[in-house]
């Protein structure tokens, strides 16, 4: 199993490219409009990336990443649903039901995988890339603490965005989303560089410029236009 995990590790790059592409597309469209906006393509690329990363983290036995991506699949779908007419939007309780079902499904999948295939008794491991001479087994708890904080910040941006979108009854990328993205990205880059996790490193790296630029566009929008008359 360990050999197959190593061989399949590069598949995770597909999710990173999808995540990077969503912000590049969003950034370019925002530049054309000279304001921070969220196109449908952002959520479609998010869905693709979430599904691919959930599959990757399941293969690599990273439960915390897999369950977060399963929830993000629901959040991305909900944002697309909020872009439709109100008559086609599902209820908030229905979305909560989907989130609970997603967590239960992933947990059940890990139980089945561990019981029937792995029999290792743990649901978290540091993946090994094919180009690494040897796996990285010893990592300080301080680095794991930093990585956990970074991942919580990076992941919470979609939970905060979803909650605000539910209140506004429309899909929007709020200023809090971009600040959480930027802070989480900087901490994530430091952590993933340390543990040599290339798959999870690409997304934060690609997103740095779009995060900063969207904050600049939002700031520009908030500055009132002076009347010279």
């Amino acid at each position: 199993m360990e050999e197959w995990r190593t061989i399949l590790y590069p598949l995770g790059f597909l999710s990173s490219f999808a995540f990077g592409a969503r912000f590049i597309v969003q950034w370019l469209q925002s530049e054309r409009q000279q304001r921070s906006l969220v196109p449908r393509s952002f959520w479609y690329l998010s869905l693709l990336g979430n599904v691919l990363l959930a599959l990757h983290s399941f293969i690599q036995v990273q439960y915390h990443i897999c369950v977060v991506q399963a929830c993000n699949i629901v959040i991305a779908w909900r944002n697309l649903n909020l872009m439709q007419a109100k008559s086609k939007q599902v209820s908030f309780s229905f979305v909560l039901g989907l989130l609970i079902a997603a967590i239960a499904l992933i947990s059940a999948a890990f139980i089945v995988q561990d019981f029937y295939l792995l029999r290792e008794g743990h649901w978290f491991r540091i993946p090994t890339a094919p180009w690494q001479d040897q796996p990285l087994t010893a990592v300080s708890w301080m680095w794991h603490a930093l990585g956990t904080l970074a991942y919580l910040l990076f992941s919470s941006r979609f939970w905060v965005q979803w909650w605000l979108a539910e209140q506004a009854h429309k899909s929007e990328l709020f200023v809090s989303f971009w600040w959480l993205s930027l802070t989480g990205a900087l901490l994530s880059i430091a952590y993933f560089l340390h543990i040599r996790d290339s798959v999870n490193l690409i997304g934060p790296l690609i997103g740095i410029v779009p995060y900063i630029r969207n904050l600049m566009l939002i700031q520009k929008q908030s500055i009132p236009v002076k009347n010279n008359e």
Side-chain angles (χ1 to χ4, degrees):
M1 290 301 299
E2 188 67 28
E3 182 181 355
W4 274 106
R5 289 182 197 138
T6 301
I7 293 172
L8 294 173
Y9 177 81
L11 292 177
F13 285 116
L14 296 176
S15 63
S16 296
F17 290 131
F19 288 147
R22 67 182 172 183
F23 284 108
I24 297 298
V25 170
Q26 184 275 338
W27 171 35
L28 293 177
Q29 292 199 29
S30 295
E31 288 290 357
R32 281 198 288 268
Q33 297 290 329
Q34 282 298 293
R35 63 186 180 92
S36 181
L37 50 81
V38 52
R40 286 180 181 272
S41 56
F42 179 89
W43 297 115
Y44 282 121
L45 287 168
S46 293
L47 271 175
L48 176 61
N50 294 146
V51 170
L52 291 173
L53 187 53
L55 178 61
H56 170 79
S57 54
F58 180 74
I59 294 172
Q60 299 299 327
V61 195
Q62 294 178 300
Y63 173 76
H64 61 309
I65 295 178
C66 193
V67 76
V68 167
Q69 294 308 311
C71 291
N72 284 349
I73 289 172
V74 177
I75 291 175
W77 173 83
R78 174 55 168 166
N79 274 277
L80 285 169
N81 178 246
L82 287 172
M83 288 181 166
Q84 297 181 353
K86 284 191 175 182
S87 59
K88 295 183 179 181
Q89 295 177 11
V90 300
S91 65
F92 178 71
S93 58
F94 183 81
V95 179
L96 284 179
L98 286 179
L99 287 170
I100 294 171
I103 295 171
L105 179 63
I106 295 302
S107 300
F110 269 78
I111 291 172
V112 171
Q113 177 180 237
D114 188 55
F115 185 79
Y116 288 103
L117 296 176
L118 306 181
R119 299 183 181 276
E120 295 175 348
H122 65 82
W123 292 1
F124 175 82
R125 61 183 287 277
I126 298 175
T128 304
W131 50 86
Q132 287 181 243
D133 296 331
Q134 57 184 9
L136 183 64
T137 56
V139 177
S140 165
W141 68 268
M142 292 184 66
W143 276 106
H144 279 313
L146 176 67
T148 301
L149 174 62
Y151 195 67
L152 286 173
L153 285 172
F154 215 46
S155 301
S156 67
R157 57 186 179 159
F158 282 104
W159 290 84
V160 172
Q161 183 277 335
W162 166 58
W163 180 249
L164 293 175
E166 291 287 354
Q167 293 178 320
H169 299 290
K170 65 177 181 178
S171 178
E172 187 176 339
L173 297 177
F174 305 88
V175 66
S176 56
F177 176 88
W178 299 112
W179 277 116
L180 287 169
S181 296
L182 182 59
T183 306
L186 293 173
L187 293 176
S188 295
I189 288 170
Y191 176 68
F192 290 129
L193 276 174
H194 183 74
I195 68 170
R196 295 178 287 180
D197 188 347
S198 305
V199 163
N200 287 308
L201 177 63
I202 289 178
L205 275 175
I206 293 177
I208 288 292
V209 173
Y211 301 157
I212 295 174
R213 182 54 180 159
N214 273 277
L215 285 168
M216 292 171 65
L217 288 172
I218 291 172
Q219 177 65 24
K220 182 180 178 181
Q221 288 174 245
S222 65
I223 298 175
V225 179
K226 293 182 179 180
N227 192 335
N228 294 324
E229 294 182 3

